[in-house]
């Protein structure tokens, strides 16, 4: 039993480059609240946060960037070459991460929680979970993913892989082993089968559908999409881009490994799509598409408010929306929704700035809105 009454907690782990985050997002599609413990560790060492000063005392101020942030890449090269240094870093960060995880789990309205942690079996988190899921990928797949997606050199990628225990050492304690080797569909089938087998039915609630409203084009509501709605999403992409888009069903299916989609339904027909992801308590909307026959000023706020409500339930601190130029011109709309145009460098929280830079879309304009005042691992 987990340490959190009324919650079913999945501990999710696996070596670097196996695709743990993809599996976590799949579990989120199924109704779980996801926590990335490694991202919380990054937050804990931000300037002014609880781990910042202890790390500098332990390793030295040479780790600092010109902005006086800890250079995580430099710190990583140091600790992954020295097991003793790694142990010191973990001794500083693990209690802070556990404190943040505890707060997030207690605050989450969801009854199923998935905690992604690369060091799950090496920390007290392992004893707080109802089931333990391990994600596996062959060594050559790990290497390829690290070099392609994280832009590591082959030497660095091999070093990071070899610094971790062999994947097989986790198998004996695993409730579930997910082989994330081939396509999204194959991994999705494994995840859904394990979910249906292990997660109590009473713990899973249906995704809410917004209350319908009557507007000139008919009855309108917003629904959360699943992989079964791929063709509906593709159709809106093509309609919004006058058939010029190269997006197809395979691309959208793969995108479910990174983000979620909201569907704007008018008279039960999908007429708009919003693609967004929640990572590290930051909501990032990277796609907004409307059928050309749908007036943006009247219908877009319905999608945005539904995204904000879902993001608030996921305890997000801020909403970042990457707006295409033809929608950014609706100044009064964005002002009425509480958004302000910003540059990534304008954001004063490192996690927010990194998220803004990481997800920046070509030819888009960034609009920002705070969603809550209290923050996890608030700087002290």
């Amino acid at each position: 039993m987990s340490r959190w009454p009324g919650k079913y907690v999945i501990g999710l782990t696996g070596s670097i480059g196996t695709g743990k985050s993809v599996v976590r997002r799949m579990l989120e599609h199924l109704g779980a609240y996801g926590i990335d413990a490694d991202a919380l560790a990054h937050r804990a060492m931000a300037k002014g946060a609880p781990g910042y000063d202890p790390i500098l005392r332990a390793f030295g101020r040479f780790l600092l960037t010109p902005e006086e942030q800890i250079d995580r890449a430099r710190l990583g090269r140091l600790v992954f070459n020295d097991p003793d240094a790694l142990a010191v870093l973990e001794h500083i960060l693990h209690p802070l991460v556990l404190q943040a995880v505890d707060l997030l789990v207690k605050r989450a309205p969801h009854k199923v929680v998935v905690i992604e942690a690369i060091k799950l079996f090496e920390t007290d988190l392992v004893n707080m979970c109802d089931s333990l899921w391990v994600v596996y990928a062959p060594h050559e797949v790990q290497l390829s993913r690290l070099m392609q997606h994280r832009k590591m050199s082959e030497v660095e990628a091999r070093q990071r892989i070899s610094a971790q225990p062999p994947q097989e050492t986790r198998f004996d304690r695993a409730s579930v082993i997910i082989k994330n080797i081939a396509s999204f569909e194959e991994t999705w089938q494994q995840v859904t089968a394990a979910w249906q087998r292990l997660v109590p039915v009473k713990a899973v609630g249906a995704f809410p559908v917004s209350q319908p409203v009557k507007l000139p084009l008919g009855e309108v509501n917003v629904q959360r999409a699943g992989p079964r709605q791929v063709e509906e999403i593709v159709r809106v992409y093509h309609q919004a881009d006058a058939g010029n888009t190269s997006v197809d069903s395979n691309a959208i299916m793969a995108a479910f490994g990174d983000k979620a989609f909201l569907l704007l339904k008018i008279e039960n027909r999908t007429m708009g799509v919003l693609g967004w992801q929640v990572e590290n308590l930051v909501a990032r909307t990277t796609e907004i598409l409307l059928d050309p026959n749908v007036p943006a000023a009247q219908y877009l706020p319905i999608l945005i408010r539904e995204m904000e409500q879902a993001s608030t339930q996921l305890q997000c601190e801020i909403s970042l929306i990457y707006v295409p130029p033809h929608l950014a011109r609706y100044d009064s709309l964005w002002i009425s929704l509480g958004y302000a145009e910003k540059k990534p460098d304008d954001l004063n929280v490192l996690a927010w700035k990194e998220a803004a830079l990481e997800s920046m879309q070509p030819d888009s304009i960034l609009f920002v809105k705070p969603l809550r005042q209290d923050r996890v691992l608030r700087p002290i």
Side-chain angles (χ1 to χ4, degrees), residues 209-213 219-223 263-266 302:
V209 176
S210 67
Q211 291 297 314
V213 295
E219 188 174 270
V220 183
N221 63 32
V222 176
Q223 299 176 7
L263 306 181
L264 180 72
K265 295 275 192 173
I266 302 177
I302 300 173

Side-chain angles (χ1 to χ4, degrees), residues 24-230:
R24 169 171 55 82
R25 293 186 190 107
M26 290 179 179
L27 291 167
E28 291 170 358
H29 289 315
L30 291 168
Y33 176 74
I35 297 174
D36 183 348
D38 300 322
L40 292 176
H42 295 165
R43 281 190 165 227
M45 66 177 75
K47 184 179 180 180
Y52 181 84
D53 287 334
I55 289 173
L56 294 183
R57 286 196 295 269
F59 299 105
R61 297 186 66 83
F62 80 96
L63 292 173
L64 293 179
T65 68
E67 295 77 27
E68 296 194 336
Q69 296 285 355
I70 291 173
D71 186 326
R72 295 201 304 266
R74 188 178 301 170
L75 178 61
R77 289 192 293 271
L78 172 64
V79 299
F80 287 114
N81 280 318
D82 184 343
D84 292 334
L86 181 60
V88 171
L89 179 64
E90 291 174 347
H91 181 73
I92 294 169
L93 292 179
H94 284 175
L96 300 174
V97 171
L98 183 56
Q99 179 184 7
V101 167
D102 183 61
L103 174 64
L104 290 171
V105 174
K106 288 177 177 175
R107 227 164 51 174
H110 306 65
K111 294 190 179 299
V112 183
V113 177
V114 53
I115 303 171
E116 176 191 342
I118 198 166
K119 289 281 190 176
L120 180 71
F121 288 150
E122 292 83 2
T123 68
D124 290 339
L125 278 174
V126 72
N127 300 316
M128 302 176 187
C129 300
D130 293 289
S131 61
L132 304 173
W133 296 34
V134 173
V135 185
Y136 165 80
H139 182 273
E140 62 272 16
V141 174
Q142 289 180 273
L143 193 63
S144 173
R145 287 173 179 164
L146 292 178
M147 294 173 65
Q148 181 178 351
H149 301 307
R150 301 203 193 181
K151 309 303 180 186
M152 292 184 184
S153 66
E154 183 175 349
V155 171
E156 184 181 7
R158 290 186 183 279
Q159 180 189 57
R160 295 292 293 272
I161 293 171
S162 64
Q164 298 177 357
Q167 296 190 64
E168 294 75 12
T169 61
R170 300 182 174 97
F171 291 173
D172 288 346
R173 301 179 68 181
S175 313
V176 176
I177 299 173
I178 301 293
K179 295 180 179 179
N180 185 26
I181 299 171
S183 66
F184 178 93
E185 290 91 335
E186 288 184 19
T187 305
W188 173 252
Q189 289 172 6
Q190 295 177 66
V191 171
T192 52
W195 174 276
Q196 292 166 0
R197 187 173 73 251
L198 292 177
V199 177
V201 174
K202 64 181 181 180
V204 184
F207 285 110
V209 176
S210 67
Q211 291 297 314
V213 295
K214 272 292 203 180
L215 289 175
L217 294 180
E219 188 174 270
V220 183
N221 63 32
V222 176
Q223 299 176 7
R224 172 108 173 227
R228 292 181 180 178
Q229 282 80 43
V230 163

Side-chain angles (χ1 to χ4, degrees), residues 322-331 334 361-365 367:
Y322 300 89
V323 182
H326 73 281
L327 294 178
R329 61 188 176 85
Y330 292 98
D331 291 341
W334 297 108
Q361 303 296 298
D363 302 319
S364 65
I365 299 166
F367 283 80

Side-chain angles (χ1 to χ4, degrees), residues 329-342:
R329 61 188 176 85
Y330 292 98
D331 291 341
S332 59
L333 182 152
W334 297 108
I335 292 171
S336 69
L337 290 170
Y339 284 83
E341 184 179 339
K342 299 280 187 181

